[in-house]
Amino acid sequence: MTDTTSRPASPAETATQDFRPVLHYTAEKTWLNDPNGLVWYQGLYHLFYQSNPFANVWGNMSWGHATSADLVHWTEQPVAIACDEEEDIFSGSIVVDHGNTSGFGTVEHPALVAIYTSAFKKGSAYEGTQAQSLAFSTDGGMTWSKYQGNPVLARGSAHFRDPKVFRFEGAAGSYWVMVAVEAQHQQVVLYRSANLKDWEYLSTFGPSNAAGGEWECPDLFPLPLDGNPDSVKWVLVVNINPGAVAGGSGGQYFVGEFDGVRFTPDPDSLVPAGAGGAPDLENCLWLDWGRDYYAAVSFSNVPGNRRIMIGWMNNWDYANSLPTSPWRSGMSLAREVQLATVDGLPRLVQRPVLPVNAGKPTLDVENVELGDSPIQLPDAEPGSAQLIEAEIVPGTAGTVAFRLLAASDGSTGTVLSFDAGTSLLTLDRQSSGYSSFHTKFASAESAPVKLDDGVLTLRIVVDRCSVEVFAQGGRVVLTDLVFPVAGSVGAQLRAADGGTALVRKLTIAALS
Ligand code: FRU
C-alpha cells in the first residue's frame, strides 16, 4: 500500500519556506511528538505534549504545554514537566481529582494530577526501566510539582509506558482505572486505584489484530451507540508503531465491553489471522488510513461527555527528517468521535473541530457535470487553511480526482481520488512537492469507502503542510503531511477514465 520509492536529496530540493500550518498546533521553535495529558479545565483545553525544549529532533523528553478555548487556536505555555538527571518524561495523561482522592488538592479546589511515564536514565535508582509517576498542579495546570513518592507503579519492565487514567463508575465500584502498555509484548495492561498512588493489577488485553510493532499510547472510553445512553459500548484505542495499515505508525481501535476489570472485544472487532498468519491489516479498525495520525488519545473532563481526540500528525518512519525549521512536527486537528452503527456494526465516526466562524465560501456550486476537463477551484489563500466540502455522484466516471496544493505549471500536486471500480479512496503525495528528505516519505494511501446511495461525501481540510480527509460523514479518515514547493496553491477537480460524474454540491471556504 505504501510506495517508498525515493531519490537522494539534491540541494535544489531543500525546502526553505515556512510550512507552518494555520489551524494545527506547532511549537514555536522546537520538536514535539505525542499529545499528553489532554484535559479540559475551567474553560480551557490543555494540550501537553512530548517536547524537546532544546532542539527540533526527539530527545530530552519533557511535557510541553499549550492552551486553547476553542481547540483550534492554541497559545504556547512554558514547559510544564521537565526532564532531569534521573528521568525523561514520557507520555501520559491528566485527571481532575474531583474528590481529592490523592490529597494533592482540596475538594473545593481539586488538583490536576498527571500520570506520566518515567523513562529512567543511566545511573538512576530505576535505571533501564520505565514506570509510572505522578505530578500535580494546584493552579489549573500552569505549574507542576513531581510527587516525592515516585514512581507509583513499577513492574521492572523496560517498556511499560503511556498510562491513560480515567474515573470508572459502574457495578464494580467507583475508582481510577489505568490503561498502559507493555509495548514490546503488544499488550494493554489495566490497573485500578483509589488514590492514584497505590495501584492494583486488573487484567491484560492483547496481542490482538495489528500486532506487528510496539503497542503505544492506549486509551479506553465509553460511548453511546447512535447517541443512545442505554446502549453504551467501550472503545479501546491502541496505537502501533511500526505495523499500521499505511506503513509505520498508526492508530487502531477495538469496540467491546468493559466491566471495570477486563476489556472484552466484540467478536466483530477481532480479525482472524490471514494467509500469512497475521490478520490482514485492511480488515482491522483504523482511526486513520493515512500516514500521519499517531499516538491519538482523548481529552478528559470535557463538558457534555464529548469525546475529543488529538493525534500527532507525523510518523516515526521519517519524523526526525521533516524539512521544517526551527519547529518540527505538529498535532492533528482535534476530532470529535462518536460511535455509530455502520453496516450493522458499531464503528467510530470522526468530525474535525473547525473554527466556529468559517469564512464566506470562496466557491458554492450545485449540480455541476464533471468530465475529463478539470474544473479550476479557488486557490488556497496564504494565511488560511482551506475547507472543501463535496457531495459527488461518480456516475459513469471511472475516477473522480481532486488535485490540491498544485504548482501553477502542473508539475506537482497532491491527488485525492476515488476509484469507482475498486471503491478505494486514495491520497497520493508522491508528486506533492518535497519528498526526498526521507526514503519512506513519498507514498500513496488507500482506504475502502462505501458510498451512500451512490454518493461520495468528502470533507477535506488543507492546511499548508497537511491534507486531512473525512469521507462519508467521518467513517473513513485519511491524514497525510505534504511539503509543496513555494507558491503551490492551485486546486482542481476532474472525472477521468471516461464517463461523467455529478457534483451535487461543492463548497470551499478559507479558515483561519
Ligand atoms: C510514542 C512514544 C511513546 C513514548 C513517547 C516518547 O510516540 O514512543 O510510547 O512514551 O513516544 O517520546
Side-chain angles (χ1 to χ4, degrees):
M1 190 160 278
T2 305
D3 181 74
T4 52
T5 342
S6 106
R7 299 151 287 138
S10 70
E13 285 197 338
T14 305
T16 50
Q17 79 262 33
D18 187 3
F19 292 105
R20 199 186 284 279
V22 179
L23 301 182
H24 293 77
Y25 179 71
T26 54
E28 187 59 31
K29 294 195 184 91
T30 54
W31 161 271
L32 64 74
N33 57 290
D34 313 0
N36 296 151
L38 302 178
V39 63
W40 180 93
Y41 188 63
Q42 294 188 336
L44 274 188
Y45 292 92
H46 292 262
L47 163 63
F48 297 87
Y49 51 87
Q50 290 288 279
S51 163
N52 181 348
F54 309 114
N56 69 358
V57 289
W58 188 87
N60 307 305
M61 293 329 291
S62 302
W63 278 24
H65 184 197
T67 50
S68 170
D70 64 2
L71 289 166
V72 179
H73 303 98
W74 295 95
T75 305
E76 187 166 345
Q77 304 289 351
V79 168
I81 311 176
C83 63
D84 58 25
E85 330 63 70
E86 298 278 310
E87 60 175 9
D88 275 329
I89 314 297
F90 275 17
S91 289
S93 53
I94 288 177
V95 294
V96 181
D97 186 8
H98 286 294
N100 194 30
T101 61
S102 63
F104 291 140
T106 62
V107 173
E108 300 73 44
H109 299 287
L112 268 58
V113 182
I115 307 91
Y116 67 87
T117 297
S118 296
F120 286 107
K121 293 184 176 170
K122 214 167 179 315
S124 69
Y126 294 85
E127 174 175 340
T129 68
Q130 298 181 342
Q132 314 324 322
S133 292
L134 305 180
F136 58 93
S137 168
T138 51
D139 63 358
M142 300 319 280
T143 59
W144 292 83
S145 308
K146 287 183 184 172
Y147 172 51
Q148 292 304 314
N150 284 340
V152 293
L153 179 57
R155 293 162 53 108
S157 162
H159 307 282
F160 171 40
R161 59 178 182 266
D162 304 345
K164 178 79 194 315
V165 174
F166 63 92
R167 187 84 193 159
F168 176 78
E169 320 265 352
S174 171
Y175 43 85
W176 300 108
V177 170
M178 177 196 296
V179 285
V181 289
E182 274 296 347
Q184 298 200 339
H185 295 152
Q186 292 76 34
Q187 286 178 325
V188 174
V189 288
L190 291 86
Y191 286 80
R192 90 165 140 216
S193 174
N195 58 9
L196 296 166
K197 294 171 179 164
D198 303 300
W199 292 92
E200 176 198 349
Y201 171 78
L202 290 175
S203 61
T204 296
F205 172 80
S208 209
N209 287 6
E214 296 200 7
W215 276 18
E216 299 185 313
C217 302
D219 198 354
L220 178 61
F221 48 82
L223 281 177
L225 180 59
D226 300 318
N228 179 358
D230 297 327
S231 174
V232 170
K233 310 276 306 172
W234 286 77
V235 176
L236 176 67
V237 169
V238 180
N239 288 275
I240 177 167
N241 174 65
V245 65
S249 322
Q252 64 178 326
Y253 70 94
F254 302 82
V255 182
E257 308 297 333
F258 177 60
D259 61 4
V261 174
R262 188 172 298 281
F263 174 77
T264 310
D266 289 351
D268 61 63
S269 263
L270 296 179
V271 182
D280 290 336
L281 293 182
E282 284 76 8
N283 295 329
C284 300
L285 305 182
W286 295 101
L287 294 173
D288 199 298
W289 291 74
R291 291 277 274 155
D292 298 300
Y293 188 70
Y294 190 56
V297 285
S298 68
F299 278 86
S300 65
N301 205 45
V302 178
N305 281 328
R306 290 172 73 203
R307 188 57 57 174
I308 297 166
M309 301 184 78
I310 291 185
W312 176 44
M313 195 162 59
N314 210 337
N315 190 313
W316 282 118
D317 272 359
Y318 41 71
N320 279 289
S321 307
L322 298 186
T324 63
S325 176
W327 61 283
R328 185 174 276 124
S329 69
M331 295 298 171
S332 73
L333 292 176
R335 302 178 180 180
E336 177 153 7
V337 301
Q338 291 172 331
L339 205 55
T341 304
V342 177
D343 296 331
L345 301 173
R347 295 292 177 256
L348 284 183
V349 291
Q350 306 175 67
R351 294 184 184 82
V353 178
L354 297 171
V356 241
N357 300 316
K360 205 167 120 19
T362 50
L363 181 80
D364 189 358
V365 295
E366 282 181 14
N367 296 324
V368 178
E369 198 181 78
L370 193 63
D372 200 29
S373 53
I375 305 181
Q376 296 300 326
L377 306 177
D379 288 352
E381 291 173 16
S384 43
Q386 208 176 28
L387 172 65
I388 303 175
E389 296 183 285
E391 286 175 24
I392 302 173
V393 183
T396 55
T399 308
V400 177
F402 283 90
R403 198 170 165 78
L404 304 165
L405 296 171
S408 52
D409 64 2
S411 57
T412 55
T414 301
V415 180
L416 174 68
S417 61
F418 177 74
D419 181 323
T422 59
S423 236
L424 288 177
L425 183 66
T426 300
L427 189 53
D428 184 344
R429 63 179 180 188
Q430 292 176 98
S431 300
S432 56
Y434 299 101
S435 62
S436 61
F437 55 84
H438 198 286
T439 52
K440 290 190 170 170
F441 187 79
S443 64
E445 284 68 58
S446 298
V449 165
K450 207 166 155 202
L451 303 186
D452 295 298
D453 296 326
V455 183
L456 174 69
T457 311
L458 297 173
R459 242 176 155 198
I460 310 164
V461 182
V462 181
D463 191 7
R464 302 193 74 176
C465 68
S466 64
V467 178
E468 276 154 300
V469 183
F470 297 80
Q472 310 309 117
R475 297 207 300 261
V476 174
V477 190
L478 274 157
T479 300
D480 268 1
L481 289 171
V482 290
F483 296 97
V485 292
S488 303
V489 291
Q492 292 135 22
L493 174 60
R494 65 186 280 234
D497 306 334
T500 51
L502 177 69
V503 179
R504 277 221 319 221
K505 208 167 165 20
L506 177 61
T507 59
I508 301 186
L511 303 177
S512 57

